[in-house]
Amino acid sequence: MSVNSVNSSNSVSALSSGDLGVYGTTSLQFMFAKLQIELAEAAKQSAMDKMDEITKSQDERKLISKYLNECRQAQADAKSGNKATAMTQECKNYMDKYGLAYDKTGDIMTHTSDEWKVAITALEGRLDEVGSDTQQKMVYVQDYMGQYNSYLQGANTQISNGNQTLQSLARGQ
């Protein structure tokens, strides 16, 4: 990479790690820029990982909402018919997986209107928990994005400073 290629683009995106490696042995500014780019990539990867976790959390929230709707409908059916109604096996498995409370007296798959309240309350609590966790992950993503931008700005500054140094050397100053 020549001084002109830095001049023409004057940005971090025009450089590859290999380009910086050439100058890394002779210029502290380019070594620092390389470090900044590596830190930016690490922040970017962390943000991407959190975004994947957010997607999974949103999928879980949809599932919980589905189970809540099923339980509320079963509660309404039990109330109107004055009889016990059944919980789906999938809902039971989910509640067991996360240790959520539901009435386990008698036939654990059928519940009266009052017994459904326990399951509904537990699912609402889980929905709130997953929602809070998702919000915290979004805060982390914002933080990682800020780090990414800061590191890229630092790398760009060092490249610009290195470019000025190379130009001064080329002019014999």
Side-chain angles (χ1 to χ4, degrees), residues 19 27 39 58 68 73-75 77 90 95 105 125 164:
D19 292 335
S27 170
L39 290 171
Q58 289 171 332
L68 263 171
Q73 185 60 52
Q75 181 185 35
D77 292 346
E90 295 83 18
M95 295 185 78
T105 58
Q164 290 173 357

Side-chain angles (χ1 to χ4, degrees), residues 60-70 72 127:
E60 184 176 359
R61 290 188 72 185
K62 288 177 191 174
L63 184 63
I64 295 168
S65 294
K66 175 188 166 216
Y67 293 146
L68 263 171
N69 289 335
E70 288 175 4
R72 288 178 179 140
L127 186 63

